[in-house]
Amino acid sequence: MTPGPESAQLNDQTAAASSTPAAQTPSDFAGALTALEALVRRLESGDLSLEASLEDFEHGIALVRDARTRLEQAELRVQQLLEQGDGSLMSPPLDEQSRDNDA
């Protein structure tokens, strides 16, 4: 039995999903969010095969984990920068613009 046009279309979509730049890990937090947003748009379009959707979903989970790790590392770094010698955290002063906006 020879494959019909539907299976050729599914194979094309699957190949396209695996060869997209989104399959690569971004180098920064903003890149991870941008890639994740692109994946969500692709998944919500409904134009992907089940296999391509599953592959994109798996990649999306990896992007979420990567972004979460980057955010946790950034929070830890900020906390370390603000920590004083006695172990207490220093409250950074608000800049003038923030104070004016809050008033």
Side-chain angles (χ1 to χ4, degrees):
M1 180 178 212
T2 58
E6 296 87 15
S7 65
Q9 183 181 11
L10 291 177
N11 289 336
D12 290 345
Q13 289 173 343
T14 303
S18 61
S19 65
T20 59
Q24 300 172 0
T25 303
S27 62
D28 62 1
F29 181 78
L33 288 182
T34 300
L36 189 56
E37 290 169 349
L39 276 174
V40 168
R41 281 192 300 276
R42 282 171 42 96
L43 288 167
E44 288 179 340
S45 75
D47 295 334
L48 299 175
S49 67
L50 176 62
E51 292 79 11
S53 295
L54 183 57
E55 185 176 315
D56 278 0
F57 180 77
E58 289 173 356
H59 186 63
I61 294 297
L63 286 170
V64 166
R65 289 178 179 155
D66 178 64
R68 182 182 304 135
T69 298
R70 291 174 192 265
L71 185 58
E72 288 169 353
Q73 290 172 346
E75 289 173 344
L76 180 61
R77 186 169 177 199
V78 167
Q79 185 176 2
Q80 289 171 343
L81 290 170
L82 295 178
E83 192 171 296
Q84 296 182 5
D86 63 0
S88 65
L89 292 179
M90 114 180 142
S91 290
L94 296 174
D95 64 340
E96 291 300 319
Q97 184 178 12
S98 293
R99 284 187 223 160
D100 292 342
N101 289 340
D102 291 341

